[in-house]
Structure formats: structure tokens, C-alpha cells
Amino acid sequence: MKESHTSFAAQFGCQDEYRREELIRLIEHSVEQLTLQELEALYYDMTTKNYIND
């Protein structure tokens, strides 16, 4: 029973990592398309929400 749980947890972790990488690729592509003004607005928003700490 424990082996089954471990394999399920490992599979779930792999799915999480795959989804994380997929989201990063999508976000990177979207960010590359933004204008300077849009990037500055995004940067401001992310810093005020503490997603970016300079």
C-alpha cells in the first residue's frame, strides 16, 4: 500500500512540474510580446505585490 502511495505522489509531482514548466513557457512567450509600457506596468504590479524583490 505504501508503494502505491509513493508512486502516486511521484506521478503527481511530475505532473505538477510539467504544468509549472508549461506555464513558465506560456508566460515567457506572452511577456516577450509586451511593449515597454506594458512591461513597466507589469513590473510595477509585480513589485507592489512582492512577486519581485529588487
Side-chain angles (χ1 to χ4, degrees), residues 15-43:
Q15 290 174 351
D16 283 353
E17 186 60 29
Y18 174 78
R19 180 66 176 148
R20 184 179 187 279
E21 290 175 7
E22 180 182 31
L23 289 170
I24 289 170
R25 281 192 304 274
L26 289 168
I27 291 167
E28 284 177 340
H29 177 73
S30 297
V31 166
E32 289 172 350
Q33 308 304 312
L34 297 177
T35 66
L36 178 57
Q37 292 170 331
E38 291 168 331
L39 283 169
E40 289 174 338
L42 178 61
Y43 176 79

Side-chain angles (χ1 to χ4, degrees), residues 1-17:
M1 176 89 171
K2 191 169 189 171
E3 289 178 24
S4 170
H5 175 69
T6 302
S7 110
F8 175 77
Q11 182 180 2
F12 187 72
C14 289
Q15 290 174 351
D16 283 353
E17 186 60 29

